């Protein structure tokens, strides 16, 4: 078989841009400015691990400062490189524009395998990385606001916030320097599952589109559809559990770093997550066909209605796109389908729901977290104030149209949502 040439992640993202750009009618110079990455900061810093100095390579890319602050996750992975962070920052700019949250796109990366480090070492690395970002003004509630991504979560965000606060104890907005924080540390409820929940909503909407389902030869509605998931991390596990619980989807295949499993009769995702937490692997899960580590990519070719790549980029390319058997590919990860792969899938009539729309739930809820941090008010209070203002307007309207005067006592009761005494 002739293997297709490997295209870099950034080249692939830019090819999508080049295909869409002529449809905007924008000036060529402006399009060039939208496409380029405004700035990348590359750092090397030493950290003492097991009595030895390790030099860690890390990045922060700010793709667009057109809107500020810039926003985007921080990834911990052995594969981190400049091309990858720039590609991911670029996708963030387009994603923020699509859901209309007023941020520019950014992304950070630390080139480590987080699963090989102790918690204490990860804390050291995270705090040192944050210090470097502070030193070069690549973080701040008005400058650049990181969030979780592959290999990081609320724990790392709490360390980032704490480090930032130590440098700026007089900054009342310090909590807005990072999102995805634990709820008890100025985070918001719902952020952890936001990306996976958004992915579920996006798939559900696609399945409710009659024209699309007719074209694919599928029944309307998400219920009863079969789904395959690659990656059981934050995004993959929430997409899978919510799809099974709220969408009555049948999960038939799953892959993780150790390999893949398939069972056409269905895999209970809660039982599988418990099994992996207990045994450290999905491969010993009962009654499933097993694919070892070297065959885990077979997951892309499993028979199903909906394939959800939720791990990393470049998973479906010119080499395997022709073998994909799913009818819908839901891009939960960033960039899992390359531009070459997408062209082959389009020819074959496979529908791809794009990442910049489908996984935008995370940044949307992050926006609310940032707003909450800057307003210094709990959402319950904000909502109460909004309701009171709306009720006051209703009472004014009733008085104006009926010509009757509502007593101050009743007015207060209505506005505060209490029982009305007449
Ligand atoms: P995560 O670290 O929580 O989970 C990733 C999982 O994928 C891990 O369990 C890992 O073991 C697994 N994995 C790695 N390589 C694999 C392989 N080759 N085959 C199968 N499984 C593999 O990361 P996450 O936060 O869930 O992010 C996943 C993807 O979603 C990334 O592309 C990220 O950029 C994107 N994303 C994340 C968020 C977010 O809020 N966390 C938001 C938008 C997009």
């Amino acid at each position: 078989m002739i293997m297709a040439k490997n295209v870099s992640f950034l080249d692939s993202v830019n090819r999508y841009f080049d295909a869409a750009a002529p449809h905007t009618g924008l000036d060529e110079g402006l399009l060039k400015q939208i496409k380029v990455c405004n700035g990348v900061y590359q750092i090397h810093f030493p950290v003492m691990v097991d009595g030895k100095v390790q030099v860690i390579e890390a990045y922060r890319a700010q793709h667009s400062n057109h809107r500020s602050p810039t926003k985007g996750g921080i990834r911990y992975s052995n594969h981190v490189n400049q091309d990858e962070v720039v590609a991911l920052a670029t996708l963030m700019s387009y994603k923020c524009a699509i859901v209309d949250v007023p941020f520019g796109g950014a992304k950070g990366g630390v080139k480590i395998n987080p699963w090989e480090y102790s918690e204490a070492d990860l804390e050291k690395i995270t705090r040192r990385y944050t210090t470097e970002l502070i030193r070069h003004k690549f973080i701040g509630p008005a400058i650049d606001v990181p969030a979780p991504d592959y290999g990081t979560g609320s724990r790392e965000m709490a360390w980032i916030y704490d480090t930032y606060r130590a440098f700026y104890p007089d900054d009342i907005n310090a909590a807005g320097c990072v999102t995805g924080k634990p709820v008890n540390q100025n985070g918001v409820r719902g952020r952890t599952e936001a990306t996976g929940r958004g992915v579920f909503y996006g798939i559900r909407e696609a399945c409710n589109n009659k024209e699309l389902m007719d074209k694919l030869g599928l029944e309307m509605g998400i219920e009863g559809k079969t789904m395959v998931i690659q990656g059981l991390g934050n995004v993959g596990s929430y997409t899978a559990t919510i799809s099974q619980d709220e969408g009555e989807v049948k999960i038939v295949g799953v892959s993780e770093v150790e390999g893949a499993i398939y069972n056409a009769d269905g895999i209970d995702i809660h039982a599988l997550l418990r099994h992996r937490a207990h045994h450290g692997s999905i491969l010993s899960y009962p009654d499933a066909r097993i694919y070892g580590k070297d065959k885990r990519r077979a997951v892309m070719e499993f028979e199903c209605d909906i394939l959800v790549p939720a791990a990393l980029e470049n998973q479906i390319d010119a080499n395997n796109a022709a073998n994909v058997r799913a009818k819908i590919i839901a891009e939960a990860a960033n960039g899992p389908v390359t531009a070459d792969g997408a062209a082959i899938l389009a020819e074959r009539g496979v529908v791809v729901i794009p990442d910049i729309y489908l996984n935008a739930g995370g940044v949307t809820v992050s926006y609310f977290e940032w707003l909450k941090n800057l307003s210094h008010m709990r959402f319950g209070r904000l909502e109460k104030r909004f309701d009171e203002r709306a009720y006051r307007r209703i009472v004014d309207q009733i008085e104006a149209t009926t010509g009757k005067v509502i007593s101050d006592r009743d007015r207060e009761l209505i506005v505060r949502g209490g029982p009305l005494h007449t």
Side-chain angles (χ1 to χ4, degrees), residues 96-110:
C96 291
I98 282 183
V99 290
D100 199 17
V101 294
F103 295 133
K107 207 79 175 190
V110 179

Side-chain angles (χ1 to χ4, degrees), residues 75 115 148-151 191 195 230-235 255-257 296 310-312 332-334 359:
R75 173 173 290 199
W115 290 280
D149 192 73
Y150 184 94
R191 174 61 184 87
T195 308
Q230 182 196 37
L232 282 183
N234 172 286
V235 179
S255 82
E256 248 299 332
V257 275
R296 67 185 178 200
L312 286 167
N334 284 310
N359 69 29

Side-chain angles (χ1 to χ4, degrees), residues 332-355:
N334 284 310
V337 180
T338 68
D340 284 332
I344 296 168
L345 294 169
E347 245 172 56
R348 297 184 50 224
V350 179
V351 168
V352 178
I353 313 178
D355 47 8

Side-chain angles (χ1 to χ4, degrees), residues 196 199-200 203 226-244 249-257 259-262 267 269 272-273 282 296 298-300 302-311 326 328 330 332-333:
V199 170
F200 165 68
I203 298 171
T226 54
M227 182 182 274
V228 165
I229 305 259
Q230 182 196 37
L232 282 183
N234 172 286
V235 179
S237 63
Y238 280 110
T239 302
T241 49
I242 297 170
S243 296
Q244 180 180 294
V249 159
K250 182 156 83 166
I251 313 283
V252 291
V254 173
S255 82
E256 248 299 332
V257 275
I261 57 170
Y262 185 83
I267 296 163
I269 194 69
L272 181 67
L273 287 169
I282 58 171
R296 67 185 178 200
V299 72
M300 295 299 155
F302 284 174
E303 178 91 46
C304 62
D305 298 320
I306 306 158
L307 171 63
V308 184
I328 299 171

